[in-house]
Amino acid sequence: YMVASGIPNRNGSKHSSEIADMALTLLHHIKTFKIRHLPDTKCALRIGLHTGAVCAGVVGLAMPRYCLFGDTVNMASRMESNGLPLRIHCSPETYEALRVQGTHTLEPRGITDIKGKGEIFTYWVTGRIQDTFQSGKQTNVLPPPTLKALNVGSPSSNGGSTDNVKLQVDHPLSEPNGDPRPVV
């Protein structure tokens, strides 16, 4: 699956931190997720992040879909496929965007051979930082955001279930009026 922030409505420079927040939330909750028919099996996610420009458009006549194209989509996919289970792998561009915002803790992963790109120095996203103006430091790590709602679609006509999921994230740094951000 792919998730994007800042499209179709731009959100300034918040896109990297919103996606990183969502990724941390998913990792936090997947660790306690139980698969009903395989209760002893742990579900694991690999998450890849990249920041850049995309081309977007609606494709199809019978079933139109909003699609994203471009090198940014390919690079995010490469970050995911070269990542590890239960880790958030990010590109140097995402690292720089998060570093400038000062919102997340990151660790160097090292040089990774990325198909079509060569060797690139990549990073792990490990947590979120809260600015503490009283102490003048950026050292307090916030707890992960909580899932506000998770609605899974009803069973389909062929006996399986649909994979429609709506996710709303209640973030510790919510808007002043109490509305959570982001809604994905």
Side-chain angles (χ1 to χ4, degrees), residues 104-157:
H104 291 80
T105 57
L106 298 111
E107 294 176 2
R109 178 187 185 173
I111 295 176
T112 307
D113 188 24
I114 305 296
K115 182 180 175 185
K117 298 290 183 184
E119 294 183 339
I120 297 176
F121 198 92
T122 60
Y123 301 85
W124 300 117
V125 178
T126 57
R128 175 134 175 100
I129 300 172
Q130 176 182 0
D131 292 337
T132 53
F133 297 104
Q134 294 172 349
S135 64
K137 299 178 188 175
Q138 291 184 330
T139 55
N140 294 343
V141 177
L142 291 174
T146 57
L147 294 177
K148 188 85 170 190
L150 179 64
N151 300 321
V152 180
S154 59
S156 66
S157 59

Side-chain angles (χ1 to χ4, degrees), residues 45-49 75-84 89:
L45 296 176
R46 269 189 333 219
I47 300 174
L49 307 180
M75 186 65 163
S77 174
R78 300 282 190 252
M79 290 293 103
E80 179 272 325
S81 62
N82 285 282
L84 296 174
H89 192 208

Side-chain angles (χ1 to χ4, degrees), residues 13 93-104 106 131 138:
S13 60
E93 290 81 1
T94 302
Y95 167 81
E96 185 61 24
L98 293 173
R99 187 193 64 75
V100 167
Q101 290 182 11
T103 56
H104 291 80
L106 298 111
D131 292 337
Q138 291 184 330

